[in-house]
Amino acid sequence: MTPPPFTGADDPPSPKRGPSEPPMRPERIAERLDRLTRWGERTPTTRRHPVHREYDLADLLGLPQRLPPVRLPLYPELAEDARVCHLLARARELAEWLGDEGRVCPRLEELGATDALEAARDLGVPASDPAAVRGLRDLPELRRLWRVAVDCGFVDFDGDRAGCAAQVAAWDGADDTDVLLAWRTALTAMLDLDLLTELDDGALRFGTSGGTLMILLFLARWDGLSAAHLSEVLREGAVRDLPAGTARELWANWTVRNGDPAEILLAWLEELGAVERCEVPVTVPGAVTISFTPLGVPIEADPSAGTTRVARLTPLGLWAVRDQLTAGGLDVPLLPEPADMSIADLVGFAQVARPGELAVEKAAWLTPRDPAWAARGLLEYAAESGPVERVFAVVLASSTIKDHVGVDTAEAIWREAMGHAPISAYAKTELAVLTGGASPDLATDVRERSWMLVDLVLAHTARLPEDFIPARLQTLLDAPADKLVGLIEPLTHCTHPSVREALDLLGTHFPLKKVAKAARRTLFKVSSRSN
């Protein structure tokens, strides 16, 4: 059995089936590679895809049933992007070259050598050795355009002749749905990695599905993936079953003759408008994005090690992959328009978004709103929410106040927040920084510090893979063991509803044994008191 083709589906998304999970970090995507490239060895099961062999994407990819929300342009905007796509324009140009009378196709739906050479010359397609051309197979670039033109219905066949289809002339006025279907058909063609195999007469067969690469890019979202990362995915799929020496030799020879296959494929997808290449910050795995700490020492948000060039999906690419994932039974919600986004929507997105994504969404959300009103709303939401939502809401309010609100109004907002017990510690911390003073009324008491500690332990570790939790806790609580024990022991009397969950995390995952033991001891006392 082969994987289902990357064609998407027109049926509606599946209903929500559980809490949203974070996108996998690029450095963890490789762990899913074996499942992604060996679909044929599984017996897939789902009820939602009657056309192809049944499959369950969540199971195959090791993903939760509900992925983080994504923003997409309106349907007409997507269609306009597809309408002006460069690859489709070149495919229509090839169809127009055929003319109404058409050209003879001596092989099944393929141009002969003479016509292929003439088309290559007229359309500016390179032919390295014209004398050796026997047909389209000897002109890979023209063959790729031909594949798109035929699959998208730009070519009409009448017997052994191929001519320009009527829809080419009607393209500019075509229905948005038809344009997007044509674009998605072209995407399916570009993701057929036989096109890469044919570049070198089958010297190397690429076993990875092209749709797999698109899903990996979708999961990486804003961060994107480097060509080197995608090249390694392709290499693994091509040489996985070969002896190591043979694999190295075949791969090296192929890349010398043809170039990096990932770069070739990305160029094709870029011409289609499915991906874009850009520079993004290099973020540290598990980078901290919450600046509050119970130790009173700020943590730098999103540590960076420079920039790197990556590929990431365009809105059209996101739309196509989301369609495919929802067709496979996953739930990928769409973000509301910024003016319609509630505070809960923004806070929920902040918990799963990367810093660049969140900055864009937050700026759009603030545009139609008064910043002071927005900050107050976020703090009210924080006071009434659970620990994770509370911390993210306070962080959003803090950045909004710092960037958009004057000093006098900022001080008034934070003093109002001091009256809400769950967020009083955060308000005092911000006021101390804002006023530059050590006023007695800004000192936090044991209860406030305990609540903040519980909040931050849960917020810093929420949705984090287990192997990242110890390092994250170490970053959050970077202090001598004795000081940390002194911070943890008062939790015995803490009334925070989630205190036991926080203590369990500290007792299980904190790297310093003395601190972990203190957390377990305190958890025992809290549990005994509750019983």
Side-chain angles (χ1 to χ4, degrees):
M1 185 196 77
T2 58
F6 197 84
T7 55
D10 293 326
D11 52 343
S14 60
K16 298 178 181 178
R17 291 186 264 178
S20 174
E21 296 283 348
M24 284 191 294
R25 304 290 192 201
E27 65 270 8
R28 300 193 53 86
I29 290 175
E31 297 178 11
R32 307 297 184 193
L33 179 59
D34 190 60
R35 297 184 190 185
L36 289 165
T37 54
R38 294 179 182 270
W39 284 2
E41 300 173 10
R42 303 291 298 273
T43 304
T45 56
T46 189
R47 299 184 300 276
R48 301 192 66 247
H49 212 288
V51 178
H52 307 295
R53 291 288 298 275
E54 294 182 342
Y55 66 103
D56 185 335
L57 278 179
D59 176 51
L60 290 170
L61 306 182
L63 294 175
Q65 289 289 356
R66 187 169 189 240
L67 295 180
V70 62
R71 177 166 305 290
L72 290 177
L74 298 176
Y75 205 68
E77 296 175 43
L78 287 169
E80 186 56 31
D81 287 345
R83 203 182 303 275
V84 299
C85 161
H86 183 56
L87 179 61
L88 290 182
R90 293 180 68 204
R92 295 196 307 277
E93 187 180 1
L94 174 57
E96 290 169 345
W97 177 87
L98 294 171
D100 294 334
E101 294 185 5
R103 303 287 180 123
V104 175
C105 294
R107 296 182 60 184
L108 180 63
E109 295 189 353
E110 281 202 2
L111 292 174
T114 302
D115 285 334
L117 278 171
E118 184 181 343
R121 183 183 65 249
D122 292 348
L123 300 177
V125 175
S128 56
D129 186 5
V133 173
R134 300 179 302 278
L136 282 179
R137 285 186 176 275
D138 300 311
L139 295 165
E141 179 66 9
L142 187 66
R143 180 176 172 80
R144 186 171 67 93
L145 291 178
W146 180 261
R147 167 76 179 271
V148 173
V150 171
D151 287 0
C152 291
F154 298 154
V155 178
D156 268 344
F157 292 95
D158 184 7
D160 63 350
R161 299 187 72 84
C164 182
Q167 74 177 66
V168 172
W171 178 256
D172 289 339
D175 180 82
D176 287 349
T177 299
D178 292 337
V179 170
L180 284 169
L181 287 174
W183 185 90
R184 192 164 57 185
T185 299
L187 174 62
T188 301
M190 290 301 92
L191 294 176
D192 182 355
L193 298 190
D194 283 347
L195 291 171
L196 283 176
T197 299
E198 291 167 2
L199 289 178
D200 206 351
D201 294 326
L204 195 64
R205 295 197 64 83
F206 291 87
T208 300
S209 159
T212 293
L213 301 183
M214 292 294 285
I215 292 172
L216 296 182
L217 286 166
F218 185 88
L219 294 173
R221 297 286 183 91
W222 183 270
D223 290 340
L225 293 175
S226 67
H229 186 108
L230 294 173
S231 183
E232 179 58 25
V233 174
L234 289 171
R235 190 195 68 80
E236 172 67 17
V239 303
R240 176 178 55 224
D241 298 322
L242 299 175
T246 304
R248 283 194 299 271
E249 182 180 357
L250 278 176
W251 184 258
N253 291 339
W254 198 98
T255 54
V256 166
R257 289 192 297 267
N258 304 284
D260 188 328
E263 292 285 359
I264 295 170
L265 181 59
L266 287 173
W268 293 350
L269 294 172
E270 197 169 10
E271 184 183 19
L272 180 62
V275 302
E276 60 183 356
R277 309 292 290 275
C278 51
E279 296 286 333
V280 300
V282 179
T283 54
V284 178
V288 174
T289 58
I290 304 168
S291 59
F292 291 100
T293 113
L295 299 171
V297 180
I299 298 175
E300 291 297 325
D302 197 30
S304 176
T307 61
T308 186
R309 185 168 174 78
V310 300
R312 62 186 178 200
L313 295 181
T314 63
L316 273 172
L318 288 170
W319 164 76
V321 181
R322 178 182 177 272
D323 240 20
Q324 182 72 4
L325 294 176
T326 55
L330 277 78
D331 184 13
V332 188
L334 289 176
L335 282 170
E337 287 300 300
D340 299 327
M341 282 183 74
S342 66
I343 288 175
D345 289 332
L346 181 65
V347 172
F349 183 68
Q351 295 174 55
V352 296
R354 299 298 287 146
E357 279 183 299
L358 180 57
V360 171
E361 286 300 329
K362 183 187 161 199
W365 183 79
L366 280 173
T367 298
R369 295 172 172 86
D370 173 63
W373 175 91
R376 284 188 168 97
L378 284 162
L379 290 172
E380 288 174 7
Y381 179 84
E384 299 169 359
S385 300
V388 178
E389 292 80 7
R390 176 161 47 250
V391 171
F392 278 92
V394 171
V395 169
L396 288 168
S398 173
S399 61
T400 300
I401 291 169
K402 288 174 183 174
D403 295 340
H404 303 285
V405 176
V407 174
D408 291 343
T409 305
E411 183 172 353
I413 292 173
W414 286 119
R415 288 201 176 276
E416 291 168 13
M418 282 175 58
H420 298 282
I423 59 172
S424 59
Y426 303 100
K428 289 180 178 180
T429 302
E430 287 287 350
L431 276 169
V433 174
L434 184 66
T435 61
S439 174
D441 67 330
L442 299 183
T444 55
D445 57 30
V446 172
R447 183 201 65 80
E448 290 171 322
R449 289 193 294 273
S450 295
W451 268 70
M452 179 184 266
L453 175 60
V454 173
D455 279 357
L456 293 174
V457 166
L458 296 177
H460 274 262
T461 57
R463 301 180 175 85
L464 202 63
E466 269 202 22
D467 51 344
F468 282 160
I469 291 177
R472 178 63 67 87
L473 290 174
Q474 181 80 70
T475 303
L476 172 66
L477 301 172
D478 186 14
D482 289 341
K483 183 173 183 177
L484 296 180
V485 170
L487 197 65
I488 289 171
E489 286 180 340
L491 294 180
T492 303
H493 306 290
C494 180
T495 57
H496 195 299
S498 302
V499 63
R500 281 185 284 186
E501 185 181 351
L503 286 168
D504 184 51
L505 279 166
L506 290 167
T508 304
H509 296 288
F510 201 84
L512 299 180
K513 291 183 178 179
K514 184 175 183 179
V515 176
K517 184 177 180 180
R520 291 193 296 271
R521 185 171 60 246
T522 304
L523 175 60
F524 176 78
K525 292 179 180 178
V526 170
S527 299
S528 299
R529 186 193 66 201
S530 299
N531 292 335

